[in-house]
Amino acid sequence: MSFNISAGGSQTSRTMFEFGRTHVVRPKGRHQATIVWLHGLGDKGSSWSQLLESLPLQNVKWICPTAPTRPVSLFGGFPCTAWFDAQDITEDAPDDLEGLDASAAHVANLLSTEPADIKLGIGGFSMGAATALYSATCHIFGQYGNRNPYLVNLSSVIGLSGWLPCSKTLRNRMEGSNETVRRAASLPILLCHGSGDDVVAYKHGEKSARVLSSAGFQNLTFRPYDGLGHYTIPEEMDEVCRWLTARLGLQGS
């Protein structure tokens, strides 16, 4: 699926990203929530769909898209699947707003056709977690970075081993808007990070949680995992299941 780099269909954009295959895990019970789950750099949607299908969440539909294959500055321009371009995997690196907007719009498009009574969420790992957190900021502002409207109403955001893009400007952008502050305070966010992560250092995940909390994201949970590297473990996914069940009011899980 092609998607305009400037989310929302701006006529001035030139670059088109070709998103890869999307894998869907349908709920085994009554459908209560749909969550788009975003893989990490160089991965694909099918890698996570197999794990998510095994979770004891009978009421959740999982949508696992695959990022576009694009040149990545971190790898000297070598192409791989990536939700946006990254020069470095930290919250201090320059932000690829066009790439972030395009991927956030692709995710929003996947959620836009879900029934009105279904709770919507976004989760991800590593770069996928960064994209999920960027989508959370689009949700509270009601617009993408390019100011096109963001129309999806999110009920949950999960980030594993990730970081917050555009963290330097978040707090200033929120000042003066009561609606933005209200949305931030009510959006449930779960962040998990391993202290042994040698790809996205633990300090970046911890700092991202601090920035979000100080900006007004009051419903944020940060879970550290002692010794965990840049991967997930059953204990972490158990936490995800418990958190989603509680925050979304899921039944029969």
Side-chain angles (χ1 to χ4, degrees), residues 1 8 15 23 39 50 65 77 116 126 136 151 165 177 182 198 224 241:
M1 176 181 180
T15 304
H23 298 261
H39 62 74
Q50 297 170 30
S126 191
L151 303 176
S177 172
R182 184 194 65 78
D198 59 354
C241 291

Side-chain angles (χ1 to χ4, degrees), residues 24-109:
V24 177
V25 178
R26 305 205 175 274
K28 300 177 180 68
R30 182 169 69 89
H31 186 194
Q32 290 182 270
T34 296
I35 299 173
V36 173
W37 191 271
L38 305 173
H39 62 74
L41 181 63
D43 204 356
K44 54 188 178 181
S46 59
S47 298
W48 280 92
S49 65
Q50 297 170 30
L51 172 62
L52 297 170
E53 189 169 17
S54 70
L55 298 181
L57 295 173
Q58 307 296 316
N59 310 107
V60 175
K61 173 183 175 182
W62 300 94
I63 301 177
C64 303
T66 299
T69 297
R70 52 167 298 157
V72 176
S73 298
L74 182 66
F75 299 147
F78 186 82
C80 68
T81 54
W83 299 110
F84 53 90
D85 188 29
Q87 296 184 27
D88 190 15
I89 302 186
T90 72
E91 81 281 359
D92 296 320
D95 293 301
D96 173 20
L97 277 176
E98 289 183 328
L100 284 161
D101 275 347
S103 288
H106 182 66
V107 172
N109 188 51

Side-chain angles (χ1 to χ4, degrees), residues 110-247:
L110 291 172
L111 290 169
S112 66
T113 56
E114 292 300 295
D117 61 336
I118 299 301
K119 295 178 180 178
L120 306 177
I122 304 174
F125 176 80
S126 191
M127 179 180 268
T131 307
L133 289 176
Y134 181 75
S135 295
T137 64
C138 294
H139 162 73
I140 67 157
F141 291 121
Q143 62 183 23
Y144 297 93
N146 61 16
R147 301 192 182 281
N148 285 321
Y150 186 88
L151 303 176
V152 174
N153 185 26
L154 297 178
S155 296
S156 63
V157 174
I158 300 170
L160 310 182
S161 306
W163 72 96
L164 173 66
C166 308
S167 61
K168 294 190 185 76
T169 59
L170 179 61
R171 197 166 182 174
N172 288 339
R173 286 182 66 201
M174 289 180 64
E175 289 180 355
S177 172
N178 291 334
E179 178 62 18
T180 297
V181 172
R182 184 194 65 78
R183 287 183 181 176
S186 62
L187 178 63
I189 298 179
L190 172 66
L191 299 181
C192 302
H193 216 111
S195 65
D197 195 326
D198 59 354
V199 177
V200 182
Y202 175 82
K203 65 179 181 180
H204 298 309
E206 188 179 41
K207 182 177 179 182
S208 295
R210 284 202 312 270
V211 169
L212 287 165
S213 294
S214 65
F217 287 82
Q218 299 174 16
N219 198 356
L220 183 146
T221 301
F222 181 73
R223 289 279 185 265
Y225 286 84
D226 187 36
L228 179 66
H230 198 65
Y231 49 86
T232 189
I233 53 175
E235 290 83 354
E236 187 178 43
M237 296 313 295
D238 289 345
E239 175 66 25
V240 169
C241 291
R242 286 192 298 269
W243 186 85
L244 280 173
T245 298
R247 293 300 184 278

